[in-house]
Every structure is written in C-alpha cells, then in structure tokens.
Amino acid sequence: MNPDFLAWSGNLQARIETVLERLLPDPQHTPQTLHAAMRYATLEGGKRVRPLLAFAAGEVVGADPARVEIAASAVELIHAYSLVHDDLPCMDNDMLRRGKPTCHVEYGEATALLVGDSLHSLAFELISAHTLSDTPERQLEMVKLLALAAGSRGMAGGQAIDLVSVGQTLTLPELEFMHIHKTGALIRASVLLGTYCGSALDDTALAKLDHYAKCVGLAFQVVDDILDAEAPTATLGKTAGKDAENNKPTYVTLMGGARAKAFAAELHSDALDALAGFDSAQRLRELADFIVQRQF
C-alpha cells in the first residue's frame, strides 16, 4: 500500500480510538461492569474501515473533521454492537473476536446483550446531540440513514436472512441481497454520513458515491468469505473456517475461491469507475484498494 495512505489511515485510526475512549461511558460510573464491557467490545481492535470511509467521504465535500469524527464514531458503535450480538450463542456462538475472547465469554451473555443495546443507543445519542450538518433537515436525514442501515431493512435484516439460510444453497442474487443488507448497509451509511457532514452534493454526485459504497460494501463481504476459507485464525483475529463449520452459504461455497476473487476484482473496478470526476476522492480510491487487496 501507498505509504502516504498508511500514514493517513494510521493517524485516523488513532484519532477514532481516542474519540471513542472519550465518548464511551467511564467504567468508574455505575453500572461499572456494563460500562467496562462496552469499552472492551469497542476499543483496541478492528481496522476501523467504516470510520475511514466516513473521513474519506468527508474529504470529498470539505467536511469539518470534528463533525466527521462523531458520525464515524456513531457508525463504529453500531458495528461494535452488531459484532457483540453476532458472537452470542444464539447467533454464531463464537469465542474469539479481534484476537481476544468475545464479549459474552469475558462478561457473560446477559451483559453482552446489554452491551449491544447500550452501544446502539449511544450511537443515536451522538448523532442527534451534536451539530453534524449545515441544516437540521440534513442532520435528520443522517439519523434516518443510520437507522435504516442498522434495522430490519439493513444490517439486522441481513443477519436474519443469514440465520435462516444456514444449510441452504442460495443463488448469487439471493446471496448478494443478504450481504447488501448484512454488511453493505452500514458501509454505505459510513460513506453517506461522511458526505452529509460537508457541502451538499447534487443528486447525481450523491448517487455516484452511493454506488461506490455499494460496490465496496459487497466487495468487503466477498473478501471476508475468502479470508474465512483461506486465512488462519491468527491472521483473522477470529475463528477461521466458521462459515464452513456452520454450513453457511458464502461466495466461496457458491463460486469457488478463484471466481470469488475475480468477482471482488470486478466490484473493485466498478467502485473506482463510480468515482470518476471527483477530484478529492483519492482516499476513497485507496480504501477500495485496501478492502479488496487485503491479504488472501
């Protein structure tokens, strides 16, 4: 990767970590165990891809980074909550996340459930309590965007489809539909929320950025499926091979590894094409490269 991109992303990853540390409840405040568990589930882990996308989109529209960091934190809190709930015994029953025991293993199932609930609530508190856009109408649209991305027509709906698809053979359109919701919805929200923090774009430009986000969101899942099949647990930071073990439909089981990699490359190309004409989208281009070129 470009050293300049690595420096940019490293600086922002450190920044978002500091912001999240500030925004999450102090573990000394009652209920201490819940607050400690919220921090455990959110801090010190992950690539922060969604916040990076928000910051990169913000650059396109000249957004104030102080606004973007709040929107990016809200998205990351939704993502962290989803991982806590996904790992629960009633979902994927996973023991390892980001290289450490999952939240329910460390704190118990009941606390993990409350952690997810609390992170979800905190995300909406942040996005509604700070001035993030130039008009109240646009900020209300940001709240709506995040709600749709997290709910039954977005991430939660995709997870519901995933649960009922275990053991089934899905068609490619069915698999895409599931992951456009389960993984892609929150990635799309990251790009759009970063965009809404700055100068307003016309409908055509906004549609192009949305298409970029759809492509990288789907590519992210394709690459995740490949890594789950081919990378060791130590590299992933979570249990490798869980998809095959749980008999889940994936791009690898449907297409095979080689075709899945080719599909990821196609999505990468489509994402870059969508950015044609944007002078300040270099970071979005580099993030598309990063998402697709993660080590197989």
Side-chain angles (χ1 to χ4, degrees), residues 19-36:
V19 173
L20 287 168
E21 286 179 348
R22 184 183 80 237
L23 295 173
L24 284 161
D26 189 322
Q28 300 304 314
H29 293 166
T30 303
Q32 290 95 333
T33 299
L34 175 58
H35 290 158

Side-chain angles (χ1 to χ4, degrees), residues 202-254:
D202 61 42
D203 290 345
T204 300
L206 196 60
K208 288 181 179 179
L209 287 180
D210 189 36
H211 184 69
Y212 161 87
K214 288 178 182 177
C215 290
V216 296
L218 197 53
F220 190 95
Q221 183 60 52
V222 176
V223 173
D224 256 16
D225 286 355
I226 296 166
L227 290 171
D228 185 79
E230 299 185 3
T233 295
T235 299
L236 292 177
K238 59 183 180 179
T239 308
K242 285 286 290 187
D243 292 339
E245 180 184 326
N246 293 333
N247 201 20
K248 285 190 172 186
T250 71
Y251 284 98
V252 174
T253 58
L254 180 64

Side-chain angles (χ1 to χ4, degrees), residues 132-144:
L132 303 181
S133 197
D134 290 338
T135 68
E137 292 79 11
R138 290 182 71 204
Q139 180 139 354
L140 187 59
E141 183 65 22
M142 293 173 73
V143 176
K144 179 182 176 183

Side-chain angles (χ1 to χ4, degrees), residues 52-98:
L52 290 175
L53 284 165
F55 275 103
E59 289 189 6
V60 174
V61 293
D64 181 351
R67 287 182 172 184
V68 179
E69 70 181 18
I70 299 299
S73 296
V75 173
E76 190 67 6
L77 290 172
I78 294 289
H79 177 56
Y81 122 70
S82 75
L83 298 182
V84 172
H85 280 191
D86 282 356
D87 290 335
L88 286 168
C90 62
M91 296 281 191
D92 290 347
N93 193 25
D94 216 331
M95 302 293 116
L96 190 67
R97 172 70 67 179
R98 294 174 171 173

